[in-house]
Every structure is written in structure tokens, then in C-alpha cells.
Amino acid sequence: NAGVTQTPKFRVLKTGQSMTLLCAQDMNHEYMYWYRQDPGMGLRLIHYSVGEGTTAKGEVPDGYNVSRLKKQNFLLGLESAAPSQTSVYFCASTDSTPWDEQFFGPGTRLTVL
Amino acid sequence: AQKVTQAQTEISVVEKEDVTLDCVYETRDTTYYLFWYKQPPSGELVFLIRRNSFDEQNEISGRYSWNFQKSTSSFNFTITASQVVDSAVYFCALSEANFGNEKLTFGTGTRLTIIP
């Protein structure tokens, strides 16, 4: 099992460009999450999904969109990147309840110039 | 609203010393879960422990131990006889166990440096 994988690992964007981050899990987990990690601020929840076809806003959703068309994939989109979105992005998943252990991907380091 | 406070931003100790990382939480729910995660310099997040609000027994796993006290809303983490490999950022987190609020709230983390 690969667990939770994220694509890409690194990316540099110019202000205004768009991109999609892909998260994939092969554990048949119901719940998936996108976080951003900034220095001194811990992990903050961007969006999450409680199952295929569902999405919900987290703590810092502005400027991001998500989709969960397939149970194993959770996509995070930036329509018009801004320097404030420079961060490390982590995807995570949990099995049958949202308060199970979260399995994290390796992270994507995004820089917006 | 759920909140987690890790007041210690950075801690440095000499190898083999014991160290305690503090975690204070806020929640209105009576059923909730508390977690600790470790983020070593390599960057990945590693699950350490999950505790539910009805189980106040302290937990020990090797050199690691956790002290959960509902009376003070704290879930502290102690490393005994610290080692250089314990150097990492440690996050405490809280999840309120109710559907409709499927979120895990993290503290801001404590960076632990073990000096050889």
C-alpha cells in the first residue's frame, strides 16, 4: 500500500496562475482533508470531504476549491494563486470516523512569486 | 469552538534529560478525542497517540508517556531519557466527536531540539 500520496512534491507559480494539487489514498478511507502549514501556525484545515462527492469548508477556505469525484482522490485547486498561498500543503485521510488517526501525505511545497 | 494551545514554541534539552510538552485544549463537547503527532525534520507527520475524553488513564509507550487531565483540560506529553532522534516539531490536536463537525484542530506546535 502506498498510503497517501501527493502530486506534485514541489511547485513554483507566478501570481495569478492556477494549479491543482492531487491527493490519492489507497486505503479506501471515507474522509479526506487538505491542510496548509505555515511557520508558527501549525496545520490549518482548508477543506475536507466526508465521502465521495462531498466537500466542506474548513478554517481557511478562501482562494481554494476542492473536488472529490472519486473516493480515492481529493483535488485542491488554486484558481488565481497569490503570494499568501505560499505554504506547505498536506493531505490526510481517515478511515470510518473523522476522529480516527489521520494518515498524512508527504506534503507539497508551493511557492507563489 | 474547539481550540488547542501549545504555549511552548521551542524547547531545547540535553540528551538523556526528560522533557514535557504541554497541551491545553478548549471544547464544549463532552465527547472528544485528543492526539499527538510528530513532525521530524524530514517533514512527514507521524501519529503518536489518540485518547478519548472518557479515558483519563495515563499512557506509557517506551520512553513516551501522556498525562490526560480533564480537570485542567490538559494532555501533556513527556519524553523520558531524550534522544537526538526525538528532535522534531510536536503537535497536539483535538477532534470533537460529532458528525457535522468533522475537523481536527491542531495547536501551533512545539519545536523540540535535543542537544547531543
Side-chain angles (χ1 to χ4, degrees), chain A residues 33-108:
Chain A
Y33 306 82
W34 275 108
Y35 295 91
R36 60 178 288 172
Q37 183 178 20
D38 302 294
M41 302 194 74
L43 280 82
R44 293 182 293 166
L45 183 64
I46 305 171
H47 286 281
Y48 64 102
S49 168
V50 303
E52 181 179 319
T54 75
T55 63
K57 292 181 180 180
E59 183 185 352
V60 288
D62 294 342
Y64 305 94
N65 56 74
V66 288
S67 64
R68 183 126 180 248
L69 299 179
K70 294 183 180 180
K71 187 176 184 179
Q72 63 268 33
N73 295 337
F74 194 29
L75 280 65
L76 177 71
L78 287 73
E79 289 187 349
S80 179
S84 60
Q85 294 177 305
T86 293
S87 188
V88 180
Y89 292 86
F90 286 97
C91 176
S93 69
T94 60
D95 191 2
S96 51
T97 73
W99 38 90
D100 288 338
E101 168 193 351
Q102 291 204 359
F103 291 81
F104 284 85
T108 295

Side-chain angles (χ1 to χ4, degrees), chain B residues 20-39:
Chain B
T20 295
L21 308 183
D22 297 334
C23 172
V24 174
Y25 63 92
E26 294 176 31
T27 177
R28 291 183 216 158
D29 279 17
T30 55
T31 305
Y32 51 90
Y33 290 81
L34 294 161
F35 301 78
W36 276 94
Y37 285 85
K38 174 182 180 180
Q39 187 176 42

